[in-house]
Amino acid sequence: MTLAVRGPAIPSHVAIIMDGNGRWAQKRGHPRAFGHIRGASRIKPIVEHAQRLGIRALTLYAFSTENWNRPQAELDALWKILKKFLAKEEAHLAKNNVRLRVIGEIERLGSDVRQVLDPVLERLGHNTGLQLTFAVSYGSQREIVRAARHFAMDCVGGKRNPNELDEGLFGRYLWTGDLGELSQVDLVIRTSGEIRISNFLLWQAAYAEFYFTDTCWPDFGPEDLDLAVASFQRRDRRFGGIGKVLKNDRSALDKRT
Ligand code: FPP
């Protein structure tokens, strides 16, 4: 088994779709919320391991805009778990200089959640270590539409000119805008065997590598992150170019002509 090694080929920004909590719990005869509780407990070891590996940004898909359609009891359980996670882990995150951010329509969250979340974001928002982002009430299409609307409003207000819009400027209007160069995702991991993107970081993952595993999120551990990163390290990222090997072939050809 090839395990990841700390070094220059480590992905700077890893994003994880933490899927399979419900199925994991149901398979064991437990309510779905049990899977979410266990899933929340997987976050700390993954954050710690990401730091050990030298990953600079970690984005975790915790709740999508579509998840609002779940039964109220499951939503209540999820918000309770999030509040508990923040209360329990804030000190540890602070000690490790983790900068915590949230992306998504957080204005849709209940005031009880905001009362816990907002001060934690304020206190951890100035840290300079791992950029840990929870995507909560997040949908990538919604993010892009809101960015477009925001840019259009700035044009109407005279602050911007439509002709200056390019990918870099548009990226700054997205919720990930303040991550700067780190906003582009290098590696997307999805657990639980599902092979789809589910409205997650569509813009930011334009050139990401993808890693899918059958392991459900409640069973995902540091060794699984190692496997994903090791898989990333074996990829030939060409960004639409012709890559190292092909480039060499091309120069050999050029010499012959
Ligand atoms: C997907 O599994 C998981 C979620 C919708 C919630 C993820 C939440 C956590 C890991 C815990 C709470 C989060 C934080 C930030 C502390 P699923 O329920 O869709 O599973 P299924 O596909 O098996 O039904």
Side-chain angles (χ1 to χ4, degrees):
M1 196 180 292
T2 326
L3 290 189
V5 285
R6 207 177 187 284
I10 285 291
S12 295
H13 186 171
V14 175
I16 308 182
I17 303 176
M18 308 182 287
D19 197 12
N21 293 349
R23 275 166 288 155
W24 181 91
Q26 284 170 325
K27 215 167 128 189
R28 287 159 179 78
H30 295 297
R32 293 174 56 81
F34 185 75
H36 296 315
I37 293 169
R38 165 81 183 200
S41 77
R42 299 291 80 208
I43 293 173
K44 182 177 175 182
I46 292 301
V47 167
E48 285 176 337
H49 197 54
Q51 288 183 293
R52 268 197 296 276
L53 287 174
I55 290 166
R56 294 167 63 204
L58 178 67
T59 301
L60 302 177
Y61 205 1
F63 190 89
S64 71
T65 46
E66 292 74 24
N67 288 153
W68 284 108
N69 299 323
R70 293 197 174 195
Q72 191 57 46
E74 186 168 341
L75 298 182
D76 292 344
L78 276 167
W79 302 132
K80 201 167 153 190
I81 293 165
L82 175 60
K83 287 188 284 183
K84 238 175 151 173
F85 173 90
L86 294 168
K88 190 161 166 246
E89 302 302 341
E90 181 186 352
H92 185 75
L93 294 171
K95 191 167 151 244
N96 287 296
N97 194 23
V98 173
R99 178 183 181 222
L100 182 67
R101 309 164 57 255
V102 167
I103 54 172
E105 293 182 311
I106 56 165
E107 64 278 11
R108 292 181 73 181
L109 306 186
S111 56
D112 59 320
V113 180
R114 294 295 297 273
Q115 266 167 30
V116 179
L117 179 63
D118 291 0
V120 174
L121 292 177
E122 177 61 35
R123 289 191 289 267
L124 299 182
H126 308 291
N127 289 343
T128 54
L130 177 77
Q131 311 261 347
L132 174 64
T133 304
F134 287 149
V136 180
S137 189
Y138 175 86
S140 192
Q141 292 181 335
R142 187 70 51 85
E143 175 184 35
I144 292 168
V145 167
R146 284 174 62 134
R149 192 187 300 145
H150 187 177
F151 178 76
M153 297 296 284
D154 278 354
C155 290
V156 170
K159 269 168 69 183
R160 292 281 181 202
N161 179 329
N163 290 326
E164 65 179 317
L165 188 62
D166 61 12
E167 292 85 345
L169 178 58
F170 190 70
R172 297 218 296 272
Y173 280 83
L174 297 171
W175 282 316
T176 48
D178 66 339
L179 282 178
E181 49 144 17
L182 273 181
S183 64
Q184 285 299 309
V185 176
D186 298 298
L187 173 64
V188 175
I189 299 171
R190 182 170 191 148
T191 59
S192 89
E194 304 292 356
I195 303 180
R196 54 175 174 265
I197 187 83
S198 297
N199 204 7
F200 186 46
L201 301 174
L202 301 177
W203 175 280
Q204 298 86 343
Y207 275 101
E209 299 295 325
F210 288 81
Y211 179 85
F212 298 99
T213 172
D214 288 339
T215 302
C216 285
W217 177 253
D219 281 335
F220 192 89
E223 63 288 354
D224 298 292
L225 181 58
D226 272 340
L227 288 173
V229 171
S231 169
F232 172 87
Q233 290 173 323
R234 291 192 295 272
R235 312 278 175 94
D236 177 20
R237 299 186 85 196
R238 294 194 294 275
F239 298 98
I242 56 175
K244 229 186 309 165
V245 177
L246 287 170
K247 217 186 303 174
N248 290 343
D249 288 346
R250 170 64 68 88
S251 60
L253 269 178
D254 290 347
K255 269 182 215 145
R256 274 184 291 170
T257 51

